[in-house]
């Protein structure tokens, strides 16, 4: 039993005439007659009584008409629901982002975009392991993530580098490292290193090749300040994270001169044809060109 058969059946039942039903359906009369015959064979019942040029429902046909009408109503409701949902999604830009400077400017980006667009933005924080898979499976429309060879080798992506993400360390003021100009990473080899917030995989791997002790992760600026004041080790974090300079006797040292850097990029599937997706990309470019203090 097909939806088309039920539609033809209901129209014939209403018109009680094959030709009139065919005219209403805008199909040939033979097509209507064929669908009704197929429906009767499939159900193994007679649905209509023919009388000259007219055609009338019998009891079995009246019973089917009740059920068929309910089925088509439910079908139409389902189709309408999914179309409305699809239309709504067409005007929703879903952004996945990792912990980076982007999280600092995301509010401004959303406000700027929604001020000139009928679409709305749905932001979602993600980790590096899931964000590209979410993009490729259409769970998000735009990914803000670190640019690496895996992303570069994926086909069908529009990749736009945005900025370089750098790192810095905090060390006690009495530490000899404060006397060095652009200290090399090898000077961290014998130190206890704490990461304030999780480091990207590639950054942590680079450090692990140099630092002898395990690199521990903490997520509290207050705890970071305590460890520094107690001279328990160094604190490393992204340059957009900072500690309150009034809370301890320590010094900030930039690592922008080292290999601890990553390119943050926006990634969009080239087959994404959502409403205002290009406007969003243009807004991202405009905003990032204006921002100069993300190191």
């Amino acid at each position: 039993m097909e939806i088309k058969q039920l539609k033809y059946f209901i129209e014939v039942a209403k018109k009680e005439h094959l030709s009139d039903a065919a005219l209403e359906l805008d199909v040939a009369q033979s097509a209507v007659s064929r669908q009704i015959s197929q429906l009767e064979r499939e159900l193994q019942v007679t649905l209509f009584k023919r009388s000259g040029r007219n055609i009338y429902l019998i009891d079995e046909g009246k019973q089917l008409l009740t059920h068929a009408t309910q089925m088509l109503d439910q079908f139409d409701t389902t189709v309408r629901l999914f179309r409305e949902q699809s239309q709504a999604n067409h005007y929703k830009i879903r952004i996945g982002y990792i912990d980076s400077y982007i999280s600092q400017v995301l509010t401004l980006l959303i406000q700027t975009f929604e001020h000139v667009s009928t679409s709305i933005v749905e932001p979602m924080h993600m980790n590096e392991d899931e964000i590209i898979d979410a993009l490729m499976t259409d769970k998000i429309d735009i990914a803000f993530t670190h640019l690496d060879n895996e992303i570069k080798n994926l086909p069908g992506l529009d990749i736009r580098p945005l900025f370089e993400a750098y790192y810095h360390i905090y060390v006690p003021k009495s530490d000899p490292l404060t006397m060095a100009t652009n200290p090399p990473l090898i000077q961290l080899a014998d130190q206890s290193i704490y990461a304030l917030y999780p480091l990207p995989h590639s950054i942590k791997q680079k450090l692990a090749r140099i630092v002898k002790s395990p690199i521990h992760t903490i997520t509290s600026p207050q705890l970071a300040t305590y460890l520094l004041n107690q001279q328990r080790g160094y604190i490393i974090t992204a340059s957009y994270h900072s500690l309150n300079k009034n809370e301890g006797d320590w010094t900030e040292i930039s690592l922008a001169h080292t290999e601890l850097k990553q390119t943050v990029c926006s990634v969009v599937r080239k087959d994404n044809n959502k409403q205002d997706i290009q406007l969003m990309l243009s807004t991202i470019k405009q905003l990032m060109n204006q921002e100069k203090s993300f190191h």
Side-chain angles (χ1 to χ4, degrees), residues 29-189:
Q29 178 178 329
S30 59
V32 176
S33 180
R34 183 168 57 253
Q35 292 296 331
I36 296 300
S37 296
Q38 289 177 354
L39 184 60
E40 289 180 322
R41 284 198 300 271
E42 182 176 348
L43 298 177
Q44 299 182 355
V45 296
T46 299
L47 300 172
F48 293 95
K49 174 183 178 182
R50 278 77 175 174
S51 177
R53 298 179 62 184
N54 293 92
I55 182 170
Y56 304 98
L57 284 176
I58 59 175
D59 289 342
E60 287 81 357
K62 292 177 181 178
Q63 184 179 4
L64 177 61
L65 179 61
T66 299
H67 292 291
T69 302
Q70 293 173 350
M71 292 169 62
L72 283 185
D73 286 344
Q74 183 60 49
F75 175 78
D76 290 340
T77 299
T78 302
V79 170
R80 183 171 61 254
L81 174 65
F82 276 87
R83 284 178 177 173
E84 290 173 353
Q85 181 175 323
S86 176
Q87 185 73 2
N89 285 336
H90 195 64
Y91 287 88
K92 181 185 295 182
I93 306 296
R94 301 159 302 173
I95 290 180
Y97 67 98
I98 61 170
D99 185 34
S100 71
Y101 175 71
I102 284 294
S103 61
Q104 307 292 308
V105 297
L106 193 57
T107 300
L108 179 58
L109 172 63
I110 294 173
Q111 289 175 338
T112 302
F113 172 77
E114 292 185 348
H115 181 70
V116 296
S117 171
T118 55
S119 298
I120 63 172
V121 178
E122 186 177 86
M124 291 171 273
H125 180 267
M126 297 183 168
N127 60 49
E128 288 184 287
D129 295 332
E130 64 180 341
I131 192 166
I132 292 301
D133 180 66
L135 181 72
M136 301 305 291
T137 55
D138 201 32
K139 295 177 182 176
I140 59 174
D141 301 298
I142 299 177
F144 288 115
T145 188
H146 294 125
L147 181 60
D148 57 27
N149 289 331
E150 178 184 356
I151 295 175
K152 291 178 182 178
N153 293 330
L154 289 174
L157 297 181
D158 180 356
I159 304 171
R160 305 187 183 192
L162 300 176
F163 58 86
E164 289 294 320
Y166 299 111
Y167 293 81
H168 55 188
I169 56 172
Y170 293 98
V171 302
K173 280 187 178 179
S174 60
D175 195 285
L177 190 67
T178 61
M179 305 299 294
T181 302
N182 294 335
L185 292 179
I186 192 63
Q187 290 191 248
L188 308 181

